[in-house]
Amino acid sequence: MNNGAARSDPFSGDSLLELLVRPLQDPVQAGLPTLGNFVLLIAAAFVGKTSLMLWLAMSRARGVAPWDGAPTPIAGPVLIIAPDESAEQLVRRADGLSRVHPAGRLDLYAENLHVLAPDPQLDDRALEALRFDEVGLGRLAARLQQAHDAGRPFLEVFVDAYSDVLPPGVSENDNAEGARIGGALQRLAVKFGCAITVLHHSGKPPKDAPADLDVTFQSRGASSLAAKARLVFALETVPEMPWCRQIRTKTNLGPTPRTALFEVSPEGSEGALTYFKPVAAPQPQQLHPRDFLLDGQSITTTALAELLEQRGAGGRRVSGGDAKNLAARLRRDWFKAGLILVEDGPRGAKMITLRDDPTEASHA
């Protein structure tokens, strides 16, 4: 946040050029909110977005990297706003994560964690800030200003989740509200130099949507909210790897980072989220089209998905939507590698055929 005198005139001349000597923002990394920006974190229910929120909040509060390869953040206060989960439950979840988190015991950084969530001891008036109408956003701005004036500014704010902070009677599909709230949060993030991350549910993908559907189209309801975010993260399950999650990114702050893959629970466990550990992404090319096709044979992508369900992949079972997503990913990667031809079949189906000469250029 700029601590100089507030100005009302446009930047021009020397004041315009002075903007160029300010420190550059850190490069965008998958899953890491960037200070001074509004961030949207999208995931389906029960995929782990609240666990990821707590993991990141604990990292910031203690000032330790959340995982290997990530930069070490400046330690500082974090505000968590969660209208639909009790403060006690959130803290118990954080305490459970602390047993495997690099930040260690919760008591070591509890003074930097601020949780605003329903609790019998919380004054009802404090809950008014949990709705992002004009009053609630004004109260959030006042809270951020108060923390700044006290010399302990919030470095990160997490909101869990968008649907729970909408004013009464407002639909997630309201684009005007999405633009109003997203714009207000971006202005607050810029003014106070903090990252404001809103968690949001993903919507049902369009019929025949590709497995790598653009991240900005993942969110449920109005598209205007994602349009206001400077960073959009999608936390997703991984076909045939239920113990892993991947994070895809869309940003206009610089180069888009590659998809990041994380192990979140021990392989073969019931799938309870316990940690975020980066792992190398598997290469789909490890499955070769000759494992499924004979020379001259053509099959549809749907048929490939059925074969994946029957035979498994990499020694593991694949089922339902995971098989369809994996089949689409294999088709794309095999095609890029020049191993197959892809042609339109009956009723718009994509037909997959082994190439006679994989070295030939493919134009399908």
Side-chain angles (χ1 to χ4, degrees):
M1 178 181 178
N2 183 8
N3 295 319
R7 60 183 297 130
S8 57
D9 297 328
F11 292 96
S12 181
D14 290 342
S15 66
L16 179 72
L17 296 176
E18 287 173 0
L19 298 176
L20 297 176
V21 300
R22 293 181 182 178
L24 293 174
Q25 290 181 328
D26 293 333
V28 174
Q29 296 201 29
L32 300 183
T34 301
L35 296 181
N37 291 283
F38 164 44
V39 182
L40 195 62
L41 171 59
I42 303 168
F46 306 112
V47 167
K49 55 184 177 295
T50 299
S51 292
L52 178 57
M53 173 193 74
L54 292 171
W55 193 271
L56 295 172
M58 294 158 67
S59 171
R60 172 65 72 179
R62 185 72 194 277
V64 299
W67 46 71
D68 289 344
T72 300
I74 299 171
V78 179
L79 174 62
I80 297 175
I81 299 174
D84 200 35
E85 188 164 6
S86 74
E88 177 185 340
Q89 181 61 24
L90 278 172
V91 174
R92 290 191 183 279
R93 291 179 68 173
D95 186 52
L97 289 172
S98 71
R99 299 168 192 172
V100 290
H101 197 289
R105 300 194 323 266
L106 200 60
D107 62 287
L108 296 174
Y109 46 93
E111 65 178 9
N112 274 342
L113 289 174
H114 301 251
V115 174
L116 186 57
D119 186 83
Q121 296 183 13
L122 189 67
D123 190 313
D124 288 342
R125 289 173 295 182
L127 297 177
E128 295 177 17
L130 303 183
R131 295 289 183 179
F132 283 173
D133 53 16
E134 293 301 328
V135 172
L137 286 169
R139 288 179 179 269
L140 174 60
R143 190 177 296 273
L144 296 177
Q145 185 68 59
Q146 182 181 24
H148 174 266
D149 293 345
R152 283 180 48 79
F154 287 112
L155 298 183
E156 298 204 42
V157 177
F158 291 92
V159 179
D160 187 8
Y162 179 62
S163 60
D164 299 323
V165 295
L166 285 171
V170 173
S171 167
E172 284 183 338
N173 298 321
D174 192 325
N175 270 299
E177 278 295 288
R180 181 186 69 82
I181 293 173
L185 295 178
Q186 173 62 16
R187 289 190 292 274
L188 288 176
V190 172
K191 179 177 180 180
F192 292 101
C194 60
I196 300 181
T197 302
V198 174
L199 281 59
H200 192 21
H201 294 283
S202 59
K204 184 177 180 181
K207 187 177 180 181
D208 299 326
D212 57 349
L213 179 68
D214 190 299
V215 171
T216 54
F217 300 140
Q218 295 269 28
S219 61
R220 191 169 69 186
S223 60
S224 60
L225 184 69
K228 287 294 184 179
R230 298 300 184 264
L231 271 166
V232 183
F233 296 128
L235 178 67
E236 303 167 320
T237 56
V238 182
E240 70 175 297
M241 300 174 70
W243 62 94
C244 288
R245 298 289 183 269
Q246 68 178 16
I247 298 179
R248 294 193 295 128
T249 307
K250 190 68 175 289
T251 182
N252 61 3
L253 297 177
T256 298
R258 291 185 176 183
T259 299
L261 183 67
F262 297 87
E263 182 181 290
V264 295
S265 62
E267 182 177 350
S269 72
E270 295 298 324
L273 294 170
T274 55
Y275 51 78
F276 285 83
K277 176 183 176 182
V279 294
Q283 297 300 315
Q285 289 87 343
Q286 292 174 352
L287 292 174
H288 196 279
R290 288 192 180 277
D291 296 334
F292 303 93
L293 294 170
L294 299 174
D295 288 337
Q297 181 186 17
S298 296
I299 62 172
T300 64
T301 309
T302 300
L304 175 59
E306 293 171 353
L307 288 173
L308 287 167
E309 286 191 80
Q310 295 169 11
R311 304 180 188 180
R316 303 183 181 93
R317 293 181 57 82
V318 188
S319 61
D322 287 345
K324 292 179 181 179
N325 288 337
L326 180 57
R329 185 157 61 110
L330 288 170
R331 183 192 70 202
R332 181 183 67 249
D333 291 346
W334 289 342
F335 176 75
K336 288 181 178 179
L339 299 175
I340 61 171
L341 293 171
V342 179
E343 300 174 319
D344 290 332
R347 295 186 294 277
K350 294 295 184 182
M351 304 298 297
I352 300 171
T353 308
L354 272 174
R355 294 186 60 84
D356 292 333
D357 182 0
T359 63
E360 293 180 10
S362 179
H363 303 287

